[in-house]
Amino acid sequence: MDLFGFRIGVDRSWFLILFLLIFLLSSQFRQALHSSDGVAYLTTVITVLVLFGSLIVHELGHALVARREGITVRRIDLFLFGGLTEMSRDAATPGEDFKIAAAGPLATFGFVLLCLAVDLAIVGPDRLVHAAELDGTVHITPVLLSLSWLLIWNVLLLIFNLVPAFPLDGGRITRAIVWRVTGDKRRGTIVAAKLGQGFGLLIAGLGVWLILAYRSFTGLWLIAIAFLLYQSARAAIVQTTMSARIEGVRVADIMDRQPVAIPSNTAVSDALDQYFLRYGWSWFPVVDALGRFLGIARQERLSDASDRGEGWLTVDSVLEPEADAGWRVREDRPITELLSSESLGRLGALMAVDGEGVLRGVVTVEQVRRALQAAFGSPGLNPRV
């Protein structure tokens, strides 16, 4: 599904939490509504789906601000523990980091205000608390029950997300603040990640207590969340330490500066003979007359065109366009940005371009791997040697 130009997807683990929430809430909703099983079940399903819709709203807040800051957002995914916005790079400045991190909670806050406004319109300010507590003094309808439940849970999610513990949004905001004050992104990340590890241990302790004292399923859920928080915070510390070792190394330092590229006006039949047959590679970058990178020509697509008797077509008419594929990277960018590149892993290489989009080189997975090995295998790193 596409929304505002972003691909929205779900992980397989999302279906587990979807069915689990429906199962746990349906009996509660049936008691609150005093209605038939069908009405209660339908209300539960709609409410849970709207809850996940509110998570998409939260992630859209991050994604829209990131795009405004010039960061490519690849996709938004829902999974077992919430949502995830996949971006092409991390924030480059503390201000950028702060705005992206704060956008999600602001979007959730807007959703909370919307639910509150509708609740107030239905029951009025005098009976709002009674409606939320389902104390029987207010007639509970499916709409009112759903809105009240969504309001409470989004408030809880908002508070939880604002805890200053990485990787939560509050932790990212904390990182941005420390980064701004100290001028050191690494220090900001480590401070926020240490807080994240501490918060993870606290949540785990609370989960163990709930299990031992009440044999509560909530305790298991908290332990799972704590594990995810702790591991994410630990990974941030490891990645930050690694980034410090290769700080200052740019794409231009490790790329192949003499890439083989196919001119866009080359006939398909000529490209197959002069490039694919000669070099034996499965793909080549394609450039226009000014050397600007246009996309990737794959042997399979060119062979299909040739088999259809369309070998006279030019390569640019059958190439895979670069737009939205993430196959290019600026040659002046740090190689740390390549570590989380999905396109690098999928294609095995990225096209290094200058500010005008002219192809200047190709950086491969193997080149990145050698740079990392050099960084961790010796006290210093001189990638130009």
Side-chain angles (χ1 to χ4, degrees), residues 70-74 85-90 326 337-338 340-341:
I71 301 176
T72 300
V73 176
R74 299 191 180 102
T85 301
E86 184 182 343
M87 295 181 286
S88 60
R89 64 172 176 85
D90 204 357
E337 291 188 5
L338 305 181
S340 59
S341 172

Side-chain angles (χ1 to χ4, degrees), residues 95-148:
E96 192 174 86
D97 202 20
F98 182 90
K99 286 185 282 187
I100 294 172
L106 281 175
T108 298
F109 183 66
F111 187 86
V112 167
L113 290 181
L114 177 62
C115 290
L116 182 61
V118 178
D119 260 355
L120 286 172
I122 294 175
V123 301
D126 297 336
R127 299 190 295 171
L128 180 63
V129 175
H130 298 291
E133 294 177 345
L134 307 177
D135 62 1
T137 62
V138 177
H139 175 62
I140 304 301
T141 64
V143 173
L144 181 59
L145 176 61
S146 179
L147 284 171
S148 299

Side-chain angles (χ1 to χ4, degrees), residues 268-313:
V268 166
S269 58
D270 292 339
L272 287 171
D273 292 336
Q274 298 173 16
Y275 292 90
F276 291 95
L277 184 61
R278 177 182 177 185
Y279 292 96
W281 300 343
S282 61
W283 61 266
F284 285 90
V286 177
V287 296
D288 64 12
L290 298 177
R292 292 174 298 199
F293 174 62
L294 299 179
I296 296 295
R298 294 188 186 271
Q299 184 176 14
E300 182 181 356
R301 297 188 65 166
L302 270 66
S303 296
D304 289 343
S306 179
D307 292 341
R308 295 193 303 267
E310 299 176 341
W312 52 271
L313 290 174

Side-chain angles (χ1 to χ4, degrees), residues 154-165:
N154 271 277
V155 168
L156 293 176
L157 289 173
L158 177 62
I159 294 172
F160 180 77
N161 257 302
L162 288 177
V163 173

